[in-house]
Amino acid sequence: MSTSVAALRALIQQKFPDATPLTGGAQTTEHVVTGIDELDRILPNGGLPRGRLSVWAPRGGVTAILRAACLTVAHSGERSAWIDGDGTMTGAFWADGPTLLRPTSRVNAMRAAEELLRSGGFSLLILTGCEPQGTETVRLTRAAREGGTALVAIGDHSAMASLRMTSHLLDYHWRRTPFGDPADAESVTVEVHARAVGWNARTDFSLPVMHHELRLSLEPALADRRGLPR
Amino acid sequence: MSYVCLWSPRWPIGADFPADLVASLLTHAPRVAVGERGLVWADARGLNGPRLAEALRAVAGDYGFDDVRAGVALTPIAAEVAALHSNAHANGALVVNVKPGTDASFIAPHPLHVLSPSERIAALLSGLGIETCGAFGSLDAESIEVRLGVEGVRLWQRARAEDERWLFAIPARALPSASVEWVEYGLKDPERLVFIINSLAATVCTALVARGERAREMGLVFALGNRTQRTHTVRSSRASAEQKRWMRLVREALDSITLPDAVMGVTLRAESVVESHGAQGDLFDRGFASAVAVEEAFIQLTDDQGDVIVEPENTAHPLLESRTTWRNAMGDGRWTRGEKRRVSRAAGEKTNAEGAEDAEDRTTEPSRHGDGISPEQEINDDELRPELRPSAGHRLAPTIFRPSKKTDRPSFLARHPTALTLQLLPSPKVVTVDVEPRRDHEVPTRYLEGNEWHTIIDAAGPDRVSGGSWNAEYSREYFRCVREDGMMVWLYRGMQQSRDWFLHGWWD
């Protein structure tokens, strides 16, 4: 084996005498960091690959992590976009920074994704609620490569994906009522599993849980028993 | 259209005609042209022709031409004959007005030489015994065309007062336009039509670029075989001078157009334009180099899909699904400002810029409570977890409507961008829920979604909300439930008639 590698190296040096070999895992482009150190540490080259398709299976925590990645990209002076294909993004929890698109149909979502990818102006594009399939995946992958955009699709079809991610929500940390009942989930442990060709890593970290104000009660630790007929 | 023809046997003709007299005539008539044989034409469209003729004669009289004759008619040939050859001049009338619709009958008794025929035609007609315009005009067109050719046909048309000469130069249009007309055939093939319009678009867009302008909208005018015109306006979401973009919009417009007859001519004209101006570059903005490409993509998406690029406008409605209105982020150039805001944030100016903005908000809007709680604190109050809220004594209860612009700043999210947040289903989904009693209330233990039962291992709640009695009454009991697979879902039970259970969203 070593002999054949040496022979191959000699052949390359003979054919390309002026070539300088790449060493140390040199990269041609930076990867897109998510802003979550624990996650970036386990991703190949420290981030989401540019010009490639990554698929993230929707098992919990994915929206929070990818929104953090979008904000990190926006804060670094680059652009990120979020295509909300099924219209589940809640306006009250959307932060300035990424560009949000809400197409009216699946076809429009695919068209929007391709248009933005081909523009070359986005470092990160998240596609949710409309998983590309078949030739759509081919087209989007090609557009991502042309535009140099890290494309992340949330779904289960990982064909043509260079990076496959899965996340699970494990343990919630609850704040309890005086009776020991759950009152508010303060944080949750997320386990992320990243797989690529020759790459398999996992990590877990804690994420806070954000609630909105809905209660009528002054004391959040107690069940609200007002305002409703019983 | 009506014309006033002026003629004097004494005034100079051709280039010697006094220019200052023309300038004086233009004070009364919108358009004046000096023609052959000393004829001066004035455009009387929309004006009182005889009165205009008198005014023009008065102007000529000031220049010493008291013997100016004038003819007023709907066609140039009738006005010319009235000015030059009318018998009324012999009776002392210097202005001859041809009544509308009588141009042909006015010309008919006059001899043929008033039409200025060529010697060859005049000899032929004389040999045929045709002496008056009426006699000549009564012949049929085919026989004239066969025997006298094109020149004969044009003379025959003038004898019938069918004179469509363009006496006045068409003023140059202020905005770029291009047109093409044809008479040999009627065009019904859309592909060829697009081909022609593409050529016109190239001309118009090149002119726009040369003028340093971009068009906001273009007018597409079709001249049809039935002698009518159809005009369609094509608009772009952003001003542009790109042929490619305008052709895309024109193609989309053509898809929805049905023309009643074949096309005999097309005009493409810029209807409104804006000046081209480039944005100031920022060397520290990594995204500036691709800003144009992104803007192009946004414009194309907006043109294709409408308000697809959105941003939320939130209120403090008690029902979460009613809090957000999605508005177009591209409207009125707001995308550009948003981009600038993002750039500033990237360059580390966020603290100063937004801090100043927040300070301004705090100073311009007085506190509504008088207890030291600023509006900014009130906003955060809605979005903070309980331990981050101000103390209970300072809180507002119950939840009320608050100004929308103040409540859509997710300050908690800004500090914790990785927080799990609620995702809402487009509409709540009816589910079957099993419950168990917990002291004085019931909590879900499992629910059926589709064909799958999900076991609930933890449930917080109920969080009760009711209201809307003035329009759409609602009354709900919400539970935050953790499934055994780790997902936290949001269930509620309607507390009115049906008391059904709904799945409203999940945390992700």
Side-chain angles (χ1 to χ4, degrees), chain A residues 30 34-36 50 58-65 67-69 71 73-82 84 86-105 107-113 115-116 118-122 154 167-170 172 174-177 179-188 190 205-220 222-230, chain B residues 284-294 296-298 300-301 304-305 307-312 314 317-320 323-324 326 329 335 339 341-343 345-347 350 354 381-387 389 392 395-399 407-408 410 412-414 416-426 438-442 458-466 474-478 480-483 485-488 490 493 495 499 506-508:
Chain A
E30 306 168 9
T34 64
I36 302 172
R50 288 181 193 260
R59 304 282 186 270
V62 56
T63 301
I65 295 169
R67 190 175 49 217
L71 289 171
V73 168
H75 287 189
S76 70
E78 298 179 271
R79 295 187 190 86
S80 56
W82 188 293
D84 186 16
D86 52 0
T88 58
M89 182 58 70
T90 310
F93 302 128
W94 182 254
D96 278 348
T99 303
L100 177 64
L101 289 88
R102 286 168 59 94
T104 53
S105 68
V107 174
N108 281 346
M110 293 300 162
R111 285 180 182 161
E115 188 72 36
L116 296 185
R118 286 194 194 283
S119 74
F122 291 86
I154 297 181
S167 58
H168 295 277
L169 301 175
L170 298 180
Y172 286 86
W174 290 94
R175 198 163 54 82
R176 301 278 171 178
T177 68
F179 304 101
D181 302 329
D184 272 324
E186 293 179 322
S187 62
V188 63
V190 183
F205 47 89
S206 179
L207 293 180
V209 180
M210 184 173 176
H211 300 285
H212 65 284
E213 178 54 46
L214 187 67
R215 303 164 57 85
L216 298 177
S217 171
L218 291 176
E219 177 49 65
L222 297 177
D224 184 357
R225 300 185 180 84
R226 304 187 311 168
L228 293 175
R230 296 297 300 175
Chain B
F284 299 101
D285 177 9
R286 300 176 70 183
F288 182 76
S290 56
V292 175
V294 172
E296 293 293 323
F298 282 5
Q300 180 135 351
L301 284 175
D304 290 345
Q305 302 183 21
D307 296 344
V308 65
I309 304 167
V310 295
E311 59 186 17
N314 296 317
H317 194 285
L319 297 182
L320 195 59
R323 286 186 183 181
T324 303
W326 296 100
W335 175 74
E339 188 70 15
R341 189 167 64 240
R342 288 195 286 276
V343 169
R345 183 169 297 172
K350 172 180 180 296
E354 293 201 346
D381 190 8
D382 271 342
E383 297 158 352
L384 290 178
R385 289 182 297 163
E387 71 274 19
R389 293 178 192 134
R395 290 199 61 247
L396 264 183
T399 307
T407 55
D408 60 354
F412 175 78
L413 190 64
H416 304 280
T418 56
L420 255 63
T421 57
L422 186 59
Q423 309 290 298
L424 286 183
L425 290 169
R438 186 163 71 185
R439 288 187 307 284
D440 59 346
H441 56 276
E442 294 176 335
D458 273 320
D463 299 326
R464 290 168 178 163
V465 60
S466 62
Y474 53 85
S475 178
R476 299 175 182 177
E477 244 181 20
Y478 276 98
R480 286 160 285 167
C481 307
V482 177
R483 300 191 319 211
D485 62 355
M487 292 294 288
M488 184 158 68
W490 206 32
R493 176 166 58 179
M495 298 303 293
R499 296 178 75 89
W506 71 98
W507 271 261
D508 194 13

Side-chain angles (χ1 to χ4, degrees), chain B residues 125-311:
Chain B
L125 294 177
S126 177
L128 292 171
I130 299 172
E131 297 179 349
T132 64
C133 296
F136 185 44
S138 62
L139 301 176
D140 63 287
E142 286 75 14
S143 59
I144 297 295
E145 186 176 6
V146 168
R147 290 173 176 81
L148 303 179
V150 174
E151 185 184 356
V153 171
R154 288 177 180 159
L155 188 68
W156 173 78
Q157 288 174 332
R158 289 209 296 274
R160 296 163 61 88
E162 295 173 357
D163 188 3
E164 295 183 352
R165 277 181 287 173
W166 287 13
L167 297 173
F168 307 104
I170 298 175
R173 197 166 182 273
L175 299 177
S177 67
S179 63
V180 61
E181 292 185 356
W182 53 92
V183 295
E184 292 82 5
Y185 56 91
L187 188 60
K188 293 185 175 179
D189 181 7
E191 288 302 319
R192 295 171 68 185
L193 195 58
V194 169
F195 181 80
I196 293 168
I197 296 172
N198 185 49
S199 173
L200 299 178
T203 305
V204 173
C205 291
T206 303
L208 285 171
V209 171
R211 293 159 57 110
E213 293 172 339
R214 295 176 294 167
R216 280 199 178 278
E217 62 181 35
M218 293 246 197
L220 194 57
V221 184
F222 297 101
L224 304 179
N226 58 6
R227 295 178 178 272
T228 61
Q229 281 192 342
R230 288 295 177 95
T231 303
H232 296 272
T233 302
V234 183
R235 294 183 180 84
S236 172
S237 57
R238 283 293 176 96
S240 171
E242 281 190 28
Q243 178 190 359
K244 181 182 172 185
R245 180 183 306 161
W246 282 111
M247 280 310 299
R248 182 170 52 79
L249 295 172
V250 165
R251 280 195 193 93
E252 290 175 1
L254 289 178
D255 285 343
S256 59
I257 289 175
T258 302
L259 297 174
D261 205 343
V263 178
M264 306 295 289
V266 182
T267 300
L268 184 68
R269 62 193 184 201
E271 297 287 7
S272 66
V273 298
V274 295
E275 290 184 0
S276 295
H277 53 82
Q280 178 65 47
D282 183 353
L283 291 176
F284 299 101
D285 177 9
R286 300 176 70 183
F288 182 76
S290 56
V292 175
V294 172
E295 186 175 1
E296 293 293 323
F298 282 5
I299 290 169
Q300 180 135 351
L301 284 175
T302 305
D303 287 339
D304 290 345
Q305 302 183 21
D307 296 344
V308 65
I309 304 167
V310 295
E311 59 186 17

